[in-house]
Amino acid sequence: MLKLGIVGLPNVGKSSLFNALTAAKAEAANYPFCTVEPNVGMVEVPDQRLDALAKIVVPERTVPAVVQFVDIAGLVKGASQGEGLGNKFLTNIRETDAIVHVVRCFEDADVTHVMGGVDPVRDREVIEFELALSDLGSVEKRLDKSKRAARTGDKEATAELPALEKANAALTEGKALWHVALTDDERAMLSTLQLLTLKPILYAANVTDGELAGDEGPHVTALRAAIANDHEPAEVVTFSAKIEGELADLAPEDRAEFLQSLGIESAGLDRLIRGGYHLLGLQTYFTAGEKEVRAWTIHNGDTAPKAAGVIHTDFERGFIRAETVGYDDFIATGGWKGAKEKGVVRSEGKEYVVADGDVLLFRFNV
């Protein structure tokens, strides 16, 4: 399951986005810190392929992949030193796979901005600085512990000292680790700390509906330029919290027509999830039987046994083979029976790299 942590300054549209995505109705108001307790919501991943498979198989139930969103209180300058309410909740997003940084990119005199005028480049820097200082606290504790252990001859502690010292030097300057050249070994050494500024980051730019349907405004352009200039491994997704809120109040069958009337191709939820999947190198495979048709999330490059392990560790441990059909072939032949008759079912072994959209039936023995 993909887990995304939502951060940002107060009044940028964080809670409005969370409400629209999850229908959880977290408090959203035009004053700072209206989100006090962290909100957690589960969102089904929209995937038309799952619906098409279900129409053919007609299972007892259809289970989509899900994404967990965690929304914390708005962060402010000084949050890492206890200003505002955000710092105490940063621990709630340390276990997420990636960070969604909601950035305000729209002008509206009726919606207060805690730092004055709208400036997404400045807002990005403020949040990065606070996340870096939060990480610094974790690194300092580990560094102190490792130094003491290294003096006793602990080889593991000695091995991780260079990575910790490198991270500590950057974070002390308020520099996010996104901008530090780390080797794969150094990243592995630091991974157990679940550092916020080592997580992939997805910028959710909150824009007007006009900018969403047409050309991007100057604020989004400036944000993209700042990210490119810093060589940050990030993606930018535009959305309108206002439109997402209106979509959430519509019946599912009316949403496509509403978007079409605005000249918008897809909902913000779809773009956010696609952005998260692309950022993290994720893909989907399916299982399709009479009892259940289900979507499963795996990493690009995962082998068949690894994919089987997402269902249950026994499947990976006792993996024998995977009966495999490409999604297009499964649909074209009308399901497993037709696929077998047409000879498009393949028996794949332990080395097979699963492709996006594969329909799999695992054979295993434990």
Side-chain angles (χ1 to χ4, degrees), residues 125-145:
E125 292 172 352
V126 168
I127 296 297
E128 278 202 5
F129 185 77
E130 296 306 324
L131 296 181
L133 291 187
S134 179
D135 280 349
L136 177 61
S138 299
V139 170
E140 284 179 334
K141 289 179 184 177
R142 182 66 164 265
L143 182 58
D144 183 57
K145 181 180 178 181

Side-chain angles (χ1 to χ4, degrees), residues 277-278 280-283 298-302 353-354 356:
Y277 269 53
H278 184 260
L280 292 165
L282 300 176
Q283 63 180 0
I298 60 172
H299 286 90
N300 297 335
D302 277 354
V353 176
V354 177
D356 184 57

Side-chain angles (χ1 to χ4, degrees), residues 43-51 64-67 267 269-271 273-274 284:
V43 180
E44 295 182 355
V45 176
D47 196 325
Q48 293 179 347
R49 297 175 300 179
L50 187 68
D51 297 330
V66 293
V67 175
L269 169 62
D270 296 11
R271 291 193 299 280
I273 291 177
R274 284 201 302 268
T284 302

Side-chain angles (χ1 to χ4, degrees), residues 9-333:
L9 293 168
N11 287 12
V12 295
K14 285 169 56 272
S15 293
S16 296
L17 173 63
F18 181 84
N19 288 346
L21 295 181
T22 65
K25 301 304 177 189
E27 185 177 1
N30 185 23
Y31 56 90
F33 316 124
C34 63
T35 306
V36 178
E37 294 298 325
N39 298 299
V40 179
M42 307 296 287
V43 180
E44 295 182 355
V45 176
D47 196 325
Q48 293 179 347
R49 297 175 300 179
L50 187 68
D51 297 330
L53 290 171
K55 285 182 180 178
I56 289 175
V57 178
V58 194
E60 292 177 13
R61 63 175 184 164
T62 303
V63 184
V66 293
V67 175
Q68 183 186 82
F69 284 94
V70 181
D71 177 36
I72 64 170
L75 301 176
V76 294
K77 192 172 183 179
S80 54
Q81 280 81 46
E83 293 294 324
L85 299 173
N87 183 54
K88 64 182 288 190
F89 300 125
L90 284 173
T91 53
N92 292 101
I93 59 172
R94 288 204 177 275
E95 294 183 1
T96 59
D97 299 303
I99 290 173
V100 175
H101 180 181
V102 180
V103 187
R104 178 173 166 179
C105 292
F106 68 91
E107 300 282 353
D108 187 339
D110 294 329
V111 180
T112 306
H113 193 296
V114 293
M115 297 191 70
V118 178
D119 185 345
V121 175
R122 174 206 59 207
D123 295 353
R124 167 178 171 261
E125 292 172 352
V126 168
I127 296 297
E128 278 202 5
F129 185 77
E130 296 306 324
L131 296 181
L133 291 187
S134 179
D135 280 349
L136 177 61
S138 299
V139 170
E140 284 179 334
K141 289 179 184 177
R142 182 66 164 265
L143 182 58
D144 183 57
K145 181 180 178 181
S146 294
K147 281 181 176 178
R148 292 198 307 270
R151 285 195 289 268
T152 68
D154 188 306
K155 292 182 179 179
E156 187 175 324
T158 301
E160 70 179 8
L161 275 178
L164 289 168
E165 288 171 341
K166 189 174 184 178
N168 186 69
L171 294 167
T172 298
E173 297 176 358
K175 186 177 183 180
L177 296 179
W178 291 308
H179 312 307
V180 179
L182 296 170
T183 66
D184 290 342
D185 286 343
E186 287 170 337
R187 287 178 179 275
M189 291 283 186
L190 297 170
S191 63
T192 57
L193 295 177
Q194 297 180 314
L195 300 175
L196 298 171
T197 62
L198 276 183
K199 294 183 183 296
I201 186 163
L202 184 66
Y203 290 94
N206 191 2
V207 301
T208 64
D209 52 356
E211 289 174 326
L212 201 59
D215 295 332
E216 290 184 350
H219 291 313
V220 177
T221 300
L223 177 63
R224 290 189 189 277
I227 293 167
N229 186 59
D230 285 343
H231 305 289
E232 185 174 341
E235 295 202 11
V236 179
V237 172
T238 56
F239 80 102
S240 165
K242 178 173 174 284
I243 290 176
E244 294 302 314
E246 292 173 355
L247 277 172
D249 291 333
L250 291 176
E253 59 271 17
D254 297 330
R255 292 172 188 171
E257 184 178 347
F258 175 70
L259 289 172
Q260 188 176 12
S261 71
L262 296 173
I264 299 169
E265 291 183 3
S266 60
L269 169 62
D270 296 11
R271 291 193 299 280
L272 266 179
I273 291 177
R274 284 201 302 268
Y277 269 53
H278 184 260
L279 188 67
L280 292 165
L282 300 176
Q283 63 180 0
T284 302
Y285 80 85
F286 304 97
T287 51
E290 291 180 0
K291 289 190 174 181
E292 177 183 275
V293 168
R294 185 163 184 159
W296 302 90
T297 302
I298 60 172
H299 286 90
N300 297 335
D302 277 354
T303 60
K306 189 92 171 177
V310 174
I311 299 176
H312 197 285
T313 53
D314 284 349
F315 281 34
E316 181 175 6
R317 186 162 52 92
F319 178 88
I320 299 173
R321 66 182 185 275
E323 304 298 332
T324 308
V325 187
Y327 169 78
D328 289 338
D329 285 337
F330 194 93
I331 296 298
T333 57

